[in-house]
Amino acid sequence: MRQQFLGVTPTPRRYAFQHAGLDRAEHLRKDAAALDACWPDAPVLILDVEGQARFAGSDDQPEFPRGGQCLAQRPEIASFLGLDEGGQAWFALPAEVLPELPAQTLDLRSAGTRWAALPAAVFAQARALLHWQQRSRYCGACGGALVLERGGFCARCPQCGIEHYPRTDPAIIVAVSDGERLLLGRQASWPPKRWSVLAGFLEPGESLEQTVVREVMEEAGVRVDACQYACSQPWPFPSALMLGFHAQAQPQPAQVSEELEEARWFTAAELRDGAVTGEVRLSPSLSISRWLIDDWLAQQP
């Protein structure tokens, strides 16, 4: 498929987890002495078994405990997340290793809209990393128990020597337009009147552009003529990376598929008026899907 630049000026990006985040400082992951020295004063993201953060302070102004307040010595299970702009190290820790936990809890979706950009991005990183660790306890090749190394970013099998690394699942998310209308779909499990752009995971051997074409055809029966990459968003629910596209298609009927309850074209006026009247409920501002819709609307008269 021919890739084509669409010639639009994107709107400012205002979705969650887009902060530059921490300097991952990969060179420190093997330096146990350096990590031990960082531990006492380092902010620690504590995550419970449900993936929620545990902290002090308030939901809008979280206060993270320091490593020395959690445990006197850095445990091997503590994951080194990186360094902030001031050179401060950050760690993540599963809640079950602590004798006492901070009282406040908050899920990642809520933190993405309520916390400052940096701690929200750090929470997203910690959530994805610890989710992988919890599900990577045994070697897929020989069944041996895995040992975490490199600051929590590698799980090595002492039995066969294979190293396992965190996985991220790439998925496309695409705003398809026929020049005057935007293609949206809704799933049966969503709240009434909720609509969003189409999305789907890459399959083996596919390019991103091929995935855009396949997913739009599978979900809505619409053939894409051209697409252009727009932006990306880490989506650690639990471990995806959303790769946003704008795409063009010829005017053609949308079809219902097994994946969607309904798919249809909307004019800019229908989306704007529907958002005011409540007849159309768009994706929340947390997600890249809403940014893609707003970006398309910004280009329409």
Side-chain angles (χ1 to χ4, degrees):
M1 185 196 73
R2 178 174 59 91
Q3 185 175 355
Q4 176 177 308
F5 287 90
L6 302 183
V8 298
T9 301
T11 57
R13 300 178 188 174
R14 297 190 182 94
Y15 46 81
F17 318 130
Q18 61 172 309
H19 189 276
L22 301 174
D23 172 1
R24 302 296 177 101
E26 194 274 342
H27 64 284
L28 292 178
R29 292 175 183 171
K30 287 185 175 182
D31 193 337
L35 297 181
D36 288 342
C38 292
W39 173 254
D41 297 322
V44 179
L45 264 291
I46 301 170
L47 273 66
D48 62 25
V49 293
E50 297 179 350
Q52 296 193 107
R54 302 295 297 260
F55 54 93
S58 68
D59 286 353
D60 295 312
Q61 293 184 317
E63 298 174 3
F64 304 109
R66 304 290 167 160
Q69 295 173 321
C70 295
L71 294 168
Q73 296 183 331
R74 178 182 65 90
E76 292 185 1
I77 195 65
S79 296
F80 171 64
L81 301 176
L83 307 174
D84 61 24
E85 291 184 351
Q88 179 72 67
W90 289 64
F91 288 84
L93 198 63
E96 58 264 28
V97 303
L98 297 177
E100 296 184 18
L101 295 174
Q104 295 294 106
T105 65
L106 197 67
D107 65 277
L108 181 55
R109 290 179 186 270
S110 299
T113 60
R114 303 183 69 166
W115 288 6
L118 175 60
V122 176
F123 186 1
Q125 178 189 358
R127 170 77 165 78
L129 181 62
L130 267 62
H131 180 271
W132 167 76
Q133 292 176 358
Q134 291 165 356
R135 285 155 179 78
S136 302
R137 300 183 184 275
Y138 298 95
C139 179
C142 72
L146 298 177
V147 176
L148 290 178
E149 297 182 344
R150 298 177 62 83
F153 281 81
C154 174
R156 184 179 58 83
C157 178
Q159 188 164 291
C160 70
I162 291 180
E163 294 181 341
H164 302 261
Y165 292 92
R167 60 174 292 172
T168 298
D169 301 317
I172 62 89
I173 184 164
V174 56
V176 182
S177 174
D178 66 0
E180 297 182 355
R181 301 175 299 172
L182 186 67
L183 179 64
L184 300 180
R186 60 168 280 104
Q187 297 180 10
S189 61
W190 289 356
K193 303 177 182 179
R194 167 67 60 79
W195 295 85
S196 184
V197 294
L198 308 187
F201 288 98
L202 273 71
E203 293 188 351
E206 271 190 327
S207 68
L208 296 174
E209 293 82 2
Q210 288 172 326
T211 307
V212 169
V213 173
R214 176 182 56 77
E215 284 290 345
V216 175
M217 176 59 71
E218 288 179 357
E219 295 191 0
V222 170
R223 177 162 182 79
V224 166
D225 296 326
C227 67
Q228 171 63 31
Y229 171 77
C231 51
S232 65
Q233 181 187 32
W235 195 245
F237 301 103
S239 57
L241 172 66
M242 306 305 295
L243 298 148
F245 282 81
H246 283 291
Q248 291 177 333
Q250 298 297 319
Q252 53 195 286
Q255 303 174 14
V256 178
S257 68
E258 294 182 356
E259 299 183 46
L260 297 178
E261 179 184 60
E262 190 175 357
R264 59 169 286 198
W265 296 95
F266 290 84
T267 66
E270 288 174 329
L271 291 178
R272 291 171 180 145
D273 294 344
V276 173
T277 63
E279 287 302 308
V280 178
R281 300 174 62 185
L282 299 177
S283 310
S285 58
L286 169 78
S287 65
I288 190 176
S289 57
R290 179 58 176 271
W291 180 85
L292 287 167
I293 295 171
D294 290 342
D295 191 40
W296 179 81
L297 282 171
Q299 318 306 324
Q300 309 308 305

